[in-house]
Structure formats: structure tokens, C-alpha cells
Amino acid sequence: MRLKVREQVKALLSQEGVTQKDIAVMLSDKLGKKYTQTSLAQKISRGSLSYNEVMTIAEIL
């Protein structure tokens, strides 16, 4: 059974010891756009992360 994107992202964050809040701060710094833990969690839940956001998260991790 395939994991949903939300579960995959959460598993990767856990594996790397990084919180959604940490990623939100790092995304804000790298992309110059305001991210909060809540807004990031909502994007992950909706599956509305952009390709650029996903690639930046991958780079951070």
C-alpha cells in the first residue's frame, strides 16, 4: 500500500529529526515567502505543495 503524501512527508521529517515548524522557517528563508507551521501543515494535508516547495524541502532534508 502506498503512503499518502502527508504521511510520507511526516515520516521523512521524523526520520531527519526536523519539525514542520523548522521546515516552515527554512522555507521562508530560502523562498522569501512567509510560511508558518499551520500553513505548511494545511498545504501538506491538501496536497497543494508546489514542485518548488517540494524540491526545497528535499534540499533541506
Side-chain angles (χ1 to χ4, degrees):
M1 181 168 82
R2 288 179 26 164
L3 291 176
K4 293 182 180 179
V5 171
R6 178 177 182 259
E7 293 157 343
Q8 289 176 339
V9 170
K10 288 178 83 173
L12 286 171
L13 293 178
S14 176
Q15 181 179 347
E16 295 296 322
V18 179
T19 66
Q20 284 183 357
K21 183 177 180 178
D22 296 335
I23 290 294
V25 169
M26 291 181 224
L27 279 174
S28 294
D29 291 343
K30 285 191 170 269
L31 298 179
K33 180 180 172 188
K34 175 108 170 101
Y35 290 89
T36 64
Q37 184 276 328
T38 303
S39 67
L40 182 59
Q42 289 173 346
K43 282 182 155 247
I44 291 169
S45 290
R46 287 190 310 262
S48 62
L49 287 169
S50 71
Y51 180 78
N52 190 39
E53 290 166 332
V54 171
M55 293 306 293
T56 304
I57 291 170
E59 186 180 298
I60 290 168
L61 295 176

